Amino acid sequence: MASKTASIVYRFGSKAHRYQQGYGAKIPEHWHKWRRWTKPPRPVHWIPEEGKYKINPKTGERDRIQNVPIYVKFPRESQSALWGGEGVIKGYRKKKDKKMKPKVGKEWKPQLFTKTFYSEILDRNIGPISVTRSTLDQIDDCFGFDFYILKTPREDLRSKLGEDLKRHMLLKLARKDELYPEDEEKREKIYNRYKEFIVPEEEAEWIGLSYAEAIKKVKAQEAKDNPIRPLVDVYTEELVVRLREQGLEGPDIELDEDSPSRVESVRKWIFGKKSEDPEKS
């Protein structure tokens, strides 16, 4: 038992208790597979050095290379935009005068542009949205907006908007009939262009969902598979069965014939019919 708990904590971190019981334990593996990082984020604000050692130019000794990533903060505004892995960096401003003066904090923010993109898969314009110069370079490297959204992993996308767009694109590809329904030739062309990214529909519909959205989806599926019925309908049906077994009949109720209004008739017989006239009620 301890090893199982340790495995869950290793996979999900400090919030592992959310996936051990309740609705969190019913979230499918497709969602967890998408949430895991396959590799460290691509460096955007710094350039890692290659190799394990380098020669110190001052001492001539061999020093170990330490590629320490810069801490980047992603504010709420970045989740409704495409910043291409860029974010806010906190540090200190360099002093130009006396050494005894206290350090002054400083923030470096990315330069933002407002752009509108066209999605071939969704067949619509996306935007206007805020992007950075790094985002535009990555879109050019991927040869298109749709390829950028589909190729870029979650750890490099770092945007809820990008994750939602990826889910809608994959669902569109999984439901081929919804892809350009009036133009079969273009449908085949777009489908073949992005067929390497196609995943099953039951997996695509979980991509990009937050924890709260995943729980909401699990609840909706359970409500659809096991709809909640009012107890008055359940007890009324049981009463109808008992009356039929005993050969009894209520007023104006035929128990020998199957009728869709049988339960409603018994309910009116037990509880009475509400008067529509407000003066009589």
Side-chain angles (χ1 to χ4, degrees):
M1 184 66 181
S3 60
K4 182 179 180 181
T5 304
S7 175
I8 294 177
V9 172
Y10 174 77
R11 288 177 58 190
F12 305 117
S14 60
K15 297 182 180 180
H17 63 279
R18 301 195 302 185
Y19 311 104
Q20 292 179 315
Q21 57 186 356
Y23 289 105
K26 300 178 182 179
I27 299 178
E29 181 63 23
H30 306 307
W31 184 82
H32 295 292
K33 177 183 176 182
W34 164 81
R35 296 280 292 186
R36 300 191 194 104
W37 285 9
T38 56
K39 57 182 180 179
R42 186 177 65 89
V44 178
H45 296 280
W46 61 289
I47 301 177
E49 299 184 49
E50 297 181 356
K52 294 184 178 181
Y53 300 94
K54 65 178 180 180
I55 302 299
N56 192 320
K58 295 183 179 180
T59 61
E61 297 180 352
R62 189 175 67 167
D63 297 337
R64 182 181 293 273
I65 295 177
Q66 298 182 8
N67 289 320
V68 181
I70 297 176
Y71 175 74
V72 183
K73 181 180 179 181
F74 296 93
R76 183 177 300 178
E77 292 79 6
S78 66
Q79 300 306 305
S80 57
L82 295 173
W83 287 8
E86 292 192 43
V88 179
I89 300 176
K90 289 187 176 183
Y92 296 96
R93 188 174 60 189
K94 187 176 180 180
K95 297 181 296 184
K96 298 181 180 179
D97 44 10
K98 297 181 180 179
K99 298 182 179 180
M100 298 303 294
K101 283 194 174 182
K103 295 181 180 180
V104 179
K106 181 178 175 60
E107 286 187 350
W108 287 268
K109 300 179 182 179
Q111 185 180 8
L112 301 179
F113 307 90
T114 302
K115 298 289 184 180
T116 300
F117 303 94
Y118 174 73
S119 172
E120 290 183 326
I121 299 176
L122 302 179
D123 191 22
R124 54 165 294 187
N125 290 327
I126 309 298
I129 56 178
S130 297
V131 297
T132 62
R133 193 174 299 277
S134 176
T135 306
L136 299 177
D137 293 339
Q138 292 178 43
I139 292 176
D140 292 340
D141 294 339
C142 294
F143 303 102
F145 179 75
D146 291 9
F147 277 114
Y148 165 71
I149 295 295
L150 294 175
K151 284 183 177 180
T152 307
R154 177 175 178 264
E155 56 269 17
D156 294 334
L157 205 56
R158 304 304 290 267
S159 168
K160 185 66 170 65
L161 173 63
E163 296 166 3
D164 291 340
L165 287 173
K166 181 178 292 188
R167 180 176 68 254
H168 289 303
M169 290 179 182
L170 293 176
L171 284 174
K172 204 78 169 181
L173 292 173
R175 304 164 182 167
K176 187 178 179 181
D177 296 338
E178 299 181 4
L179 193 66
Y180 294 94
E182 299 179 357
D183 193 342
E184 185 176 355
E185 182 179 354
K186 192 170 185 179
R187 178 198 310 162
E188 294 296 332
K189 180 181 178 181
I190 298 299
Y191 184 83
N192 293 329
R193 181 177 299 173
Y194 301 97
K195 63 181 180 180
E196 59 178 306
F197 304 103
I198 297 177
V199 296
E201 181 178 350
E202 57 272 11
E203 180 178 347
E205 62 185 2
W206 290 93
I207 293 178
L209 296 181
S210 63
Y211 175 77
E213 292 173 338
I215 293 295
K216 186 177 180 180
K217 186 174 181 62
V218 170
K219 291 181 179 180
Q221 287 183 349
E222 282 199 352
K224 183 179 179 180
D225 298 338
N226 303 308
I228 300 176
R229 298 184 58 199
L231 290 178
V232 62
D233 292 345
V234 177
Y235 294 151
T236 303
E237 288 186 0
E238 293 180 359
L239 179 60
V240 170
V241 174
R242 292 180 182 179
L243 292 175
R244 184 187 297 114
E245 292 176 353
Q246 297 177 9
L248 302 177
E249 295 184 0
D252 301 329
I253 300 177
E254 298 179 358
L255 296 179
D256 296 333
E257 299 180 2
D258 293 332
S259 174
S261 61
R262 184 191 304 274
V263 175
E264 185 65 26
S265 301
V266 175
R267 185 190 299 177
K268 292 179 181 179
W269 173 43
I270 299 174
F271 300 100
K273 184 178 181 182
K274 294 183 179 180
S275 175
E276 299 179 356
D277 189 356
E279 296 181 358
K280 296 181 181 180
S281 60

